[in-house]
Amino acid sequence: MRKVAVLMGGPSSEREVSFMSGRAVMSALQSSGVDCIAFDPAERSVLELPSLNITHAFNALHGRFGEDGTLQGALEVMRIPYTGSGVLASALALDKRRTKLIWKSCGIPTAAFEMMDDVETASDVLSRLGGMVMVKPVSEGSSIGMRKASNSDALKAAFIEAKRYDANVMVEAFIEGKELTVSVLGRRVLPIIEIVAPEGKYDYQNKYFTDEVKYHCPAALPPVLSGAIQRDTLRAFDALGCEGWGRADVMLSSKGEYFFLEVNTSPGMTGHSLVPIAARAVGMTFPELCMEILQGASLESGARHVG
């Protein structure tokens, strides 16, 4: 009999969203007859888990500690099978710079970028990246600390904002076009979603707290293009060593070129979240999705499937 700790909350800037995901997952698992407890690593040490007779951990944590390999390493040491990617893949995927370096080495298309160290370089960085950029903290998710900039002053302000969340700031060439996301479940690539946000602002507020965003699933793309994006999504996951489940964010330019931006190894599971939308498109209910993710819980050093 399984006893599952649904890990939620945590110490990251995405704590609020993680609680939303964790509560939804826990309710879904309980509706499927799974014995679950909620566990917040910000309130108690994960080292307490063995004393609770936990057999599996469902990771609903987002951001640092939950997605950066730290938690995964602790669970490996305690021999508790967990959902999602392992230590190295989690660490790489949360680090946008290293993700893109690996993708470039593998020929996976990704937007041009530079690391920015101080405001004095703003004008030169902007010029080299085409005059319109996205500024991102390297190891944050949920669009936290991200801003678009089209002039030197705006870039300087965006850099200062991003530095509030991360010592390392990435400036990425802005891709004008369609915003897509592609979910992976096991080795299956789910239908592509096109995200249409008000004024193109798919930010933290619109992601989780409004109903203004439209999601088209499957995205209205030519079959050949959809197939190419889905195949490259699996390549992008494999290049980082991702396993279990996750989601890749992709931009499709007006010229029909696509660029991978980043991978989420512990995506949101809220009422507005994207993986559940893609799963519904193939006839999978939310409880069925949660159960399939749980069935993939494993230890990196052991068998991939620990049912």
Side-chain angles (χ1 to χ4, degrees), residues 48-91:
E48 295 180 29
L49 287 172
S51 68
L52 302 175
N53 297 316
I54 297 303
T55 61
H56 296 73
F58 193 114
N59 182 17
L61 296 165
H62 306 316
R64 288 185 178 89
F65 184 77
E67 284 187 87
D68 64 0
T70 305
L71 171 73
Q72 290 76 10
L75 293 171
E76 290 279 341
V77 170
M78 293 184 288
R79 307 298 297 165
I80 298 174
Y82 55 91
T83 57
S85 292
V87 177
L88 179 59
S90 298

Side-chain angles (χ1 to χ4, degrees), residues 116-118 135 137 145 158-169:
M116 185 167 165
D117 297 320
D118 61 71
V135 183
F159 171 79
I160 291 169
E161 173 68 10
K163 287 286 280 188
R164 293 178 52 210
Y165 299 96
D166 199 313
N168 299 305
V169 175

Side-chain angles (χ1 to χ4, degrees), residues 196-275:
V196 183
E199 301 178 356
K201 294 180 179 178
Y202 192 50
D203 55 15
Y204 184 82
Q205 184 67 23
N206 280 327
K207 281 184 177 182
Y208 301 111
F209 301 107
T210 76
D211 294 312
E212 301 301 313
V213 180
K214 305 301 180 187
Y215 303 101
H216 303 305
C217 185
L221 302 174
V224 172
L225 178 60
S226 290
I229 293 172
Q230 289 176 310
R231 285 191 297 274
D232 275 349
T233 296
L234 208 52
R235 287 182 61 222
F237 268 63
D238 288 345
L240 299 175
C242 297
E243 297 181 87
W245 72 302
R247 201 192 75 234
D249 295 333
V250 184
M251 287 300 300
L252 177 65
S253 77
S254 56
K255 296 179 180 179
E257 299 174 311
Y258 56 89
F259 301 87
F260 285 81
L261 303 181
E262 60 186 89
V263 162
N264 292 275
T265 56
S266 182
M269 292 287 274
T270 73
H272 291 77
S273 291
L274 299 161
V275 177

Side-chain angles (χ1 to χ4, degrees), residues 183-191 234 244 246 279 282 284 289 292:
S183 301
V184 176
L185 187 59
R187 298 297 296 170
R188 177 169 34 156
V189 183
L190 300 180
L234 208 52
V282 295
M284 184 178 292
L289 171 63
E292 184 157 337

